[in-house]
Amino acid sequence: MNDIWNDSDASPIRILVIDDEPRIREACSMVLEDCGYEVTLAPDGLKGLNLVQESYFDIVLLDLMMPELSGLDVLANIRECYPDTVVIVITGYATVEHSVDAMKRGAFDFIPKPFSPEQLRVTVSKAIEFNRALRDISETRSRLRTLVNRLSEGVLCINRQHRVVLANPTFLRMAASTTLAPWGLDYREVIGFEPLKELVHEATGGFEGDGDAIEETVRELALCPGEEAEEAVVLVRVIPFRNRPGRLVGAIVVLNDITALKHMDRMKSDFVSMVSHELRSPMNSVLMQLQVILEGLAGDLTPKQREILERAYEKIGNLAQMTTELLDLATIESGLIVSERSLLDMAAIIRDQVEFHRPRAESESICLIAEIPESLPPIRANRRNMEEVLSNLLTNAIKYSPNGGVVTVSAEAAGDYFALRVRDTGLGMNEEETKKIFQRFYRVRNQDTRSIQGTGLGLAIVQKIVESHQGKIAVESIPQKGSTFTVWLPLEKG
Ligand code: ADP
């Protein structure tokens, strides 16, 4: 096996021969030393056992019929205390049953006396292979155990019977477990933290049915470690575990403490809100003053002055828009807006938004269509957030269709989700661009978009809102053909 950790080849193979017949001991010693093995001899079971206790042997050649301590007793002791030592039994013709018995008790093989040097060599070399495989397995296991035990992530493996196969100390601590020896216990007895127990149950479907449909679940959970301590936030991943033929055999739960990240994120959002808040008022007042001048209230303007001031007005207007959007983003990130949720009639919200955007669409020669079924189930969401999602998607669809065209808004209930679609026949984007448009400040820059104003924040806001409602957003787009944005939001259960 090609294992870079394996150093077993570096040290010589150590063999102990325990036999009361000097002739056999000497013959074995000669043959095996010739093969390059390190051979030690013991004339009886007791001395043999003492040697095994003192140092490690890869292989023990053991005579069964010896006075005093019998070979079977020596075998039992070695199997019990030194399971990675391989025992080969040497036995006379008359005791074949004993040899079979010895195999049943854990001997690797047996060599009947008298044996040829070749027989001895072949059996020993088979045993060496076996011993290497055993050592590889046990070393790999112990390396994995050390690795898992030292991970800063909490790791739990459970089987389909809900039993714990592996749980590292970090997991036990994070999951508020009161047991130190969780192996074999039902995971529901091991996890002390109720919401985590529920999440694992939900993510694994309780291991009912054939489990084919179970997928990886990723969710954030707030843990309350104690009354004094600050609330901890943990990212929980429940990963279905399948065997080679693809059958579900259990699940792995990984806990990642993201409290510090969350804290930094909140500080960053606070900073952004503070800065944008401070910028917004002076900018709005500059805008108002410019408007006063542009309306001629401060005296007449030459055409050149008007042109310059109009450009300044537009640029500052954009900046003011950006500060408003930054403020929105920071508010959403700090989780403030989504706190108030109610059952919403999305059909009504869509119709209102479509009517609100119709004048702008018409002025750009765009036909705005709403395709909404007669009845749509309600969803639980924040009204202002939903209006913002629609407004952003509609504004973009109109804005990025500079040559007119059709913008269609449609909605449907699909499975457990409510799907909202905004389709346009505008500029479209290539694949690279569609991957980046949800990043803050990202804007597609080319000849067609040069004159279109924007901040690059709208879609970042939309994505944040959708995700904070446990939904998803995706885009499909073809350059010069158009784009379709789809938002999925979970339907109210039951
Ligand atoms: P903004 O429109 O203010 O630049 P957004 O975050 O709303 O910011 O959009 C990011 C970028 O994605 C836009 O700059 C634009 O290049 C691209 N984009 C968004 N919607 C569309 C669309 N419907 N068609 C083509 N490109 C779009």
Side-chain angles (χ1 to χ4, degrees), residues 325 392-393 396-401 422 424 426-429 433 436-439 441-445 449 452-461 477 482-485:
E325 288 182 349
N392 265 305
L393 294 180
N396 280 351
I398 296 169
K399 217 162 60 165
Y400 296 103
S401 300
V422 179
D424 65 56
L427 293 177
M429 292 161 271
E433 289 158 351
K436 297 187 190 152
I437 53 173
F438 296 102
Q439 296 169 8
F441 301 112
Y442 178 80
R443 305 202 66 215
V444 175
R445 294 188 193 275
T449 59
I452 303 176
Q453 302 289 343
T455 59
L457 284 172
L459 288 178
I461 293 179
S477 193
S483 313
T484 304
F485 285 81

Side-chain angles (χ1 to χ4, degrees), residues 52-64:
V52 173
Q53 277 157 12
E54 276 162 26
S55 55
Y56 172 78
F57 289 96
D58 298 276
I59 294 166
V60 172
L61 285 165
L62 176 67
D63 184 14
L64 277 192

Side-chain angles (χ1 to χ4, degrees), residues 258-271:
I258 52 166
T259 314
L261 264 180
K262 281 271 150 190
H263 186 68
M264 267 163 49
D265 219 40
R266 185 155 296 188
M267 273 174 35
K268 192 190 64 198
S269 297
D270 288 352
F271 175 74

Side-chain angles (χ1 to χ4, degrees), residues 29 41 69 72-73 97 128 133 164 178 223 244 291 341 343 360 366 434:
S29 169
L41 304 176
L69 195 58
L72 282 182
D73 291 335
E97 298 98 79
I128 290 170
V164 173
T178 47
L223 302 182
R244 280 271 192 81
Q291 202 169 5
R341 290 185 188 179
L343 276 184
R360 162 113 195 254
I366 288 169
T434 58

